[in-house]
Amino acid sequence: MDCIFCKIAAGETPADIIHTDEEVIAFRDINPQAPVHVVIIPGEHIATLAELPEEKAMLVGHMVDVANRLARSEGISESGYRVVINCGQQGGQLVQHLHMHLLGGRQMAGSLG
Ligand code: 5GP
Ligand code: ZN
C-alpha cells in the first residue's frame, strides 16, 4: 500500500519519532504549524476516523492518552494544547491514514474552521 504513514510506521521512511508502543507511533510533523506539532498514528492502517470500527474506539482513547503524555514531556501540558483529528475531504484530511495532531507552544486561534 502506498501510504506515507504506513511507511513511517514500518521504518521505511524516516521521521522524527518521539513515541512508539504496541498500538501507536508519534512523530514530529514535517511542516509544523506550532512550536510543538506531533502526529500520532495507529500502526495499523485505518484510512479515516469514519472508518474506525466500533470495537476499535478504544484505540482513539489510547491516542488521546499518548497525546496527554507527550504534552507533558514536550512541556506544554500547563500552558495548554490542541488535539485535532481531521476526517475526510471537508474535514481537511490530506493523509489517508488515521492520525491525531498535537499542537501547542503558541496561542491557538479561537476559530475551529
Ligand atoms: P492532515 O491534513 O491529513 O490532517 O495532516 C497531515 C499532516 O501530516 C500534515 O500536517 C503534514 O505536514 C504531515 N505530513 C505529511 N507527510 C509527512 C511526512 O512524510 N512526514 C511527516 N513527519 N509529516 C508528514
Ligand atoms: Zn497507512
Side-chain angles (χ1 to χ4, degrees), residues 23 44 46 49-61:
E23 289 183 301
E44 176 188 1
I46 297 168
L49 187 67
E51 292 184 23
L52 182 74
E54 185 180 350
E55 66 273 15
K56 292 185 180 170
M58 291 292 286
L59 175 62
V60 176

Side-chain angles (χ1 to χ4, degrees), residues 6-42:
C6 279
K7 287 179 179 164
I8 289 173
E12 292 167 9
T13 294
D16 187 357
I17 294 171
I18 60 170
H19 171 91
T20 182
D21 63 41
E22 326 69 58
E23 289 183 301
V24 311
I25 298 116
F27 50 88
R28 297 192 195 280
D29 198 290
I30 203 166
N31 182 24
Q33 302 300 304
V36 175
H37 188 173
V38 177
V39 178
I40 302 159
I41 67 167

